[in-house]
Amino acid sequence: MGKTTGFLEFQRLQEAVEAPLKRVKHWKEFVQVLNDEQAGQQAARCMDCGVPFCHNGCPVNNIIPDWNDLVYRQQWKEALDVLHSTNNFPEITGRICPAPCEAACTLNIDRVPVGIKSIEHAIIDKGWAEGWVVPQVPTQKTGKRVAVIGSGPAGLACAQQLARVGHDVTVYEKSDRIGGLMRYGIPDFKLEKYLLDRRIAQMQAEGVQFSPSTYIGQAQDQAAQEPGLTVLSPSELEQRFDAIVLAGGSETPRLLDAPGSQLQGVHPAMDFLRIQNQQVAGSRGAPAISAQGKHVVVIGGGDTGSDCVGTSTRQGAKSVTQFELMPRPPEQENTELTWPYWPMKLRTSSSHEEGCERDWAINTVELQGKNGHVKELRAVRVEWKTDPSTGRMSMNPIAGSEMTFPADLVLLAMGFTAPVRQVLDAFAVEADQRGNVAANTDNYQTSRAKVFAAGDMRRGQSLIVWAIREGRQCARSVDEFLMGSSTLPR
């Protein structure tokens, strides 16, 4: 906890942000980290609540009251040690995590939770600035070799944990740079990539080897046909390594089932975001998909859709419209019913604040084009009704509510359904009913004895904090498998 009466003395303080009209002119981050005094006051608000629901609300189980108390007392290095004890990449989560810990904070009963995310952001940024974040090189090597497939948060967390106990770890990534979704799926205005680069440098100093532009699967797979890729088969990996971890993403996008969805100008959201990130990184030429001068429609109301909105605005879109199939959530949750769980409520992102038309309960009926390119989107407003006998909701079009949107670019941000099937088939691992790799959270082991799975490839599309948690827990299971026991935390 912080100060006994801190929650009565100090108000919740949001991090300062650059004005929308200024920040849309560049791709840099625009959030200003709290200074030492501000972070100390915010940490002082952490109350002696008895049961720290924030700790349970956080998927990586951050020991939040402890580092809040340390920040309140200005013991920053000790706070950093506590933060790193559960989270390999707090500079990432402190920027892009939606903060379920704050929803679980006892003060959120009055909707003024401790600014946990902003304190985390302050701790790790100060740690890097002071030079406290250094490689943790193992004192002994085990002689065991582990391959990690996928360099997103699950794969990197798993690799770092395994390297620190002395295993030789190689991370394989099919993109030309390491980082997975963090590298090419999240815009720079939310996550600048130097943050990844310095962590990767730390991991290299700890002994992790990285192999980008490498596809793991069969040479005949469609994904293996991209130029510049090295293709390795699962059998080759099984010969070289003592254990293999499948830590790729849930990459199969949910597509639009409507006439005209095959028109040019209709793209999965991640294709659009990836090309923009590649351009900012200087790893590709001019983007093949651009919103400049176009009427953009984003279908899907989640974080990926929000990223499409912010990216389209910065590219110079003529208009940006975002709509969601489900009903509009309430402005405020009923905390008496929802706390300490993650509530369903209206969330307005920084990208929405920069300019965007939003609407809910809208279903796409048809896309219409000219000369093979999308020009209009026809939609209808829908009403959701719940069957009292089954509890299931059904969607019903509202007569006379048809509408038309100008649409030169349609971005499908409706989520992801499963990992790439060819990878699962290549390894001959069993899948669950949703198409993810079948593995439990007791040992993360697949149907193949030396093959493990973690993150979105195992649990499906989820948050970065869940990916880090699974990567860390999977690392412990791999270590136990290789050595018979493990000193790694679970």
Side-chain angles (χ1 to χ4, degrees):
M1 60 169 290
K3 187 178 181 181
T4 306
T5 57
F7 72 99
L8 298 173
E9 298 177 35
F10 305 114
Q11 299 297 314
R12 174 177 167 87
L13 177 65
Q14 298 286 104
E15 294 173 307
V17 298
E18 189 178 8
L21 289 179
K22 291 185 178 180
R23 67 188 190 230
V24 297
K25 297 178 181 179
H26 62 78
W27 294 93
K28 301 291 185 181
E29 290 182 13
F30 50 81
V31 177
Q32 182 177 339
V33 67
L34 300 180
N35 62 36
D36 291 4
E37 181 182 359
Q38 292 170 331
Q41 286 191 358
Q42 192 59 210
R45 298 182 65 240
C46 186
M47 59 194 301
D48 188 9
C49 57
V51 178
F53 290 95
C54 58
H55 175 68
N56 188 59
C58 173
V60 295
N61 298 130
N62 276 332
I63 312 171
I64 295 165
D66 289 33
W67 46 256
N68 275 343
D69 184 63
L70 290 165
V71 170
Y72 162 60
R73 301 178 190 282
Q74 298 295 295
Q75 297 175 2
W76 288 89
K77 192 173 188 302
E78 292 81 1
L80 178 66
D81 292 340
V82 174
L83 179 56
H84 268 147
S85 70
T86 58
N87 187 350
N88 295 70
F89 314 119
E91 65 272 35
I92 311 298
T93 56
R95 286 167 165 82
I96 65 174
C97 178
C101 54
E102 294 189 14
C105 175
T106 300
L107 285 174
N108 194 47
I109 295 174
D110 292 329
R111 302 193 184 95
V112 285
V114 174
I116 299 168
K117 181 178 175 180
S118 64
I119 299 170
E120 178 181 11
H121 186 181
I123 293 171
I124 186 58
D125 276 25
K126 188 175 184 68
W128 281 106
E130 296 291 339
W132 296 333
V133 185
V134 295
Q136 299 180 29
V137 181
T139 57
Q140 291 183 334
K141 301 292 284 186
T142 65
K144 301 293 185 180
R145 306 186 67 198
V146 183
V148 176
I149 301 171
S151 67
L156 292 184
C158 183
Q160 186 167 57
Q161 294 295 96
L162 289 170
R164 287 177 173 177
V165 291
H167 301 306
D168 292 318
V169 184
T170 302
V171 177
Y172 293 96
E173 168 61 52
K174 67 177 182 295
S175 295
D176 63 338
R177 300 191 185 189
I178 299 298
L181 184 70
M182 298 182 294
R183 172 74 65 181
Y184 286 141
I186 299 173
D188 277 49
F189 59 82
K190 288 178 63 176
L191 181 68
E192 289 191 59
K193 302 311 181 280
Y194 77 89
L195 299 163
L196 292 176
D197 293 336
R198 65 187 184 187
R199 271 297 176 189
I200 291 166
Q202 180 199 38
M203 293 176 66
Q204 287 174 321
E206 293 170 346
V208 178
Q209 296 185 9
F210 294 100
S211 182
S213 299
T214 304
Y215 176 78
I216 308 300
Q218 304 300 339
Q220 64 269 25
D221 292 348
Q222 182 178 357
Q225 307 309 312
E226 292 187 18
L229 281 181
T230 298
V231 181
L232 295 177
S233 68
S235 60
E236 290 178 89
L237 291 190
E238 289 177 331
Q239 292 173 9
R240 297 184 193 179
F241 294 93
D242 300 294
I244 299 169
V245 177
L246 304 179
S250 180
E251 298 183 44
T252 306
R254 183 173 286 108
L255 300 177
L256 185 65
D257 183 17
S261 57
Q262 78 288 347
L263 288 168
Q264 296 179 36
V266 182
H267 302 278
M270 202 52 62
D271 290 354
F272 172 68
L273 295 174
R274 182 180 295 111
I275 289 172
Q276 172 58 41
N277 277 299
Q278 288 170 338
Q279 185 194 35
V280 171
S283 62
R284 295 289 190 276
I289 308 173
S290 175
Q292 184 175 10
K294 296 178 181 178
H295 295 289
V296 180
V297 176
V298 179
I299 304 177
D303 289 339
T304 301
S306 172
D307 291 346
C308 288
V309 170
T311 299
S312 297
T313 301
R314 283 163 176 77
Q315 287 185 352
K318 187 178 295 185
S319 69
V320 184
T321 302
Q322 181 184 29
F323 58 76
E324 165 66 50
L325 184 64
M326 299 304 293
R328 180 184 175 119
E331 295 279 347
Q332 295 286 350
E333 75 273 29
N334 184 341
T335 54
E336 293 182 357
L337 294 176
T338 61
W339 180 84
Y341 301 107
W342 183 250
M344 176 64 71
K345 68 175 184 179
L346 181 64
R347 303 180 192 278
T348 299
S349 73
S350 60
S351 293
H352 296 141
E353 294 170 350
E354 293 163 2
C356 171
E357 293 294 327
R358 304 169 72 189
D359 209 339
W360 291 263
I362 292 179
N363 184 38
T364 302
V365 175
E366 182 184 11
L367 299 175
Q368 295 181 331
K370 183 178 181 181
N371 299 325
H373 197 286
V374 66
K375 297 303 293 181
E376 287 186 341
L377 185 149
R378 293 181 53 244
V380 63
R381 199 169 294 279
V382 297
E383 181 180 16
W384 289 89
K385 296 181 179 179
T386 303
D387 187 329
S389 61
T390 63
R392 294 182 178 179
M393 296 181 68
S394 61
M395 182 180 70
N396 303 279
I398 298 175
S401 66
E402 294 81 5
M403 61 191 83
T404 301
F405 298 91
D408 305 305
L409 177 63
V410 177
L411 302 173
L412 309 179
M414 303 178 294
F416 303 86
T417 59
V420 177
R421 184 70 209 187
Q422 289 92 335
V423 176
L424 277 66
D425 292 340
F427 278 93
V429 292
E430 293 181 3
D432 62 20
Q433 293 181 342
R434 297 183 300 162
N436 302 316
V437 179
N440 61 43
T441 55
D442 293 330
N443 58 23
Y444 290 88
Q445 200 161 356
T446 71
S447 55
R448 299 287 295 272
K450 62 190 292 185
V451 180
F452 297 76
D456 287 6
M457 186 168 273
R458 190 205 68 83
R459 67 178 287 117
Q461 176 189 353
S462 192
L463 301 175
I464 185 173
V465 277
W466 277 109
I468 293 172
R469 171 193 175 122
E470 294 218 348
R472 289 171 61 89
Q473 292 187 346
C474 181
R476 179 182 172 91
S477 295
V478 172
D479 192 32
E480 288 177 333
F481 171 78
L482 295 175
M483 307 301 294
S485 62
S486 179
T487 59
L488 287 172
R490 179 168 168 79

